[in-house]
């Protein structure tokens, strides 16, 4: 609510020192320049150049593992947009799940792009593995074309403030890190958030 945005959610993964993992740019200002070569997803918005605008919608997920973006310098892609968040691809447009199999279950926050270019924020209220979530997105009713994972566990958070809906969700772990029954969800501090302004 302090940002005055309609929707705010966690903006990706970070290290123990609260530093964002991967490239990060907001309102044209570079905020983190620690490129993660294994993170092949870029959530971008606000093309700054005619070349970036010609590549497609104003806001979208770029898959750095697929052409044409695989063959372009990453810095040129970052320079072409007003806002950039780098994270790991979860599902690509060929239906390929892009995460390793793991038994770690947690609440998850994902940004997904539908087949018609609509961007969606998906947060699970229950604990799921990344692979299970990717398979659900692949086969589910949302008609997802590609998806990018942001973070999971306590860091998976979402706040919506609009005339139609007021909602706040905090994540939690599953498996061996489950919160005690009846315990309230924990609000973990986040060094980076994504705000959607209407």
């Amino acid at each position: 609510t302090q940002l005055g945005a309609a929707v705010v959610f966690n903006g990706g993964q970070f290290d123990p020192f609260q530093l964002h993992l991967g490239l990060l740019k907001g309102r044209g200002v570079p905020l983190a320049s620690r490129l993660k070569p294994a993170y092949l997803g870029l959530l971008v918005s606000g093309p700054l150049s005619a070349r970036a605008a010609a590549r497609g919608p104003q806001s979208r997920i770029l898959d750095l593992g697929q052409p044409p973006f695989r063959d372009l310098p990453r810095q040129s892609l970052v320079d072409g947009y007003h806002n950039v968040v780098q994270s790991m691809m979860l599902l690509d447009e060929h239906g390929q799940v892009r995460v390793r199999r793991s038994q770690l279950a947690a609440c998850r926050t994902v940004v997904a792009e539908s087949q018609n270019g609509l961007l969606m924020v998906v947060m699970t209220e229950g604990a799921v593995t990344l692979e299970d979530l990717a398979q659900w997105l692949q086969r589910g009713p949302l008609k997802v074309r590609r998806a990018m994972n942001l973070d999971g566990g306590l860091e998976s958070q979402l706040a919506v403030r609009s005339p139609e809906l007021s909602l706040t969700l905090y994540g939690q772990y599953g498996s061996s890190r489950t919160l005690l029954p009846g315990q309230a969800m924990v609000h973990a501090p986040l060094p980076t958030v994504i705000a959607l302004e209407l």
Side-chain angles (χ1 to χ4, degrees):
T1 58
Q2 293 177 356
L3 296 175
V7 180
V8 178
F9 54 97
N10 53 297
Q13 300 185 52
F14 51 91
D15 67 17
F17 302 102
Q18 302 282 302
L19 298 174
H20 181 82
L21 296 175
L23 300 171
L24 181 66
K25 184 179 181 183
R27 296 183 176 163
V29 178
L31 302 171
S33 56
R34 297 173 12 161
L35 173 71
K36 289 279 290 181
Y39 286 8
L40 297 178
L42 285 184
L43 174 64
V44 298
S45 70
L48 291 173
S49 66
R51 178 180 291 175
R55 289 187 188 121
Q58 295 286 312
S59 301
R60 61 189 302 209
I61 298 170
L62 306 183
D63 184 349
L64 303 179
Q66 301 290 334
F69 306 110
R70 178 183 62 197
D71 306 317
L72 297 173
R74 292 187 185 177
Q75 193 58 49
S76 73
L77 291 172
V78 172
D79 291 344
Y81 291 90
H82 208 221
N83 304 295
V84 177
V85 177
Q86 182 185 22
S87 194
M88 67 177 78
M89 288 297 295
L90 182 63
L91 182 70
D92 68 25
E93 56 207 70
H94 304 293
Q96 183 75 31
V97 174
R98 299 269 291 276
V99 290
R100 289 186 293 242
R101 184 183 298 258
S102 168
Q103 296 303 311
L104 180 61
C107 292
R108 307 285 179 186
T109 306
V110 168
V111 177
E113 186 177 333
S114 71
Q115 293 171 5
N116 63 2
L118 179 70
L119 275 183
M120 300 170 279
V121 179
V122 177
M123 181 182 170
T124 67
E125 290 189 76
V128 297
T129 68
L130 280 173
E131 182 183 36
D132 286 345
L133 179 55
Q135 290 177 352
W136 180 82
L137 289 170
Q138 180 187 53
R139 297 189 300 257
L142 300 178
K143 298 185 171 128
V144 170
R145 183 177 183 189
R146 60 180 71 92
M148 190 176 98
N149 180 60
L150 290 173
D151 208 350
L154 300 177
E155 293 79 18
S156 181
Q157 301 178 30
L158 171 71
V160 180
R161 298 292 179 268
S162 73
E164 299 80 18
L165 179 66
S166 181
L167 173 71
T168 303
L169 296 174
Y170 300 122
Q172 55 185 313
Y173 287 98
S175 304
S176 61
R177 300 168 86 173
T178 303
L179 296 178
L180 297 174
Q183 183 177 351
M185 288 188 173
V186 177
H187 175 213
L190 299 174
T192 306
V193 296
I194 298 172
L196 303 181
E197 299 171 342
L198 301 178

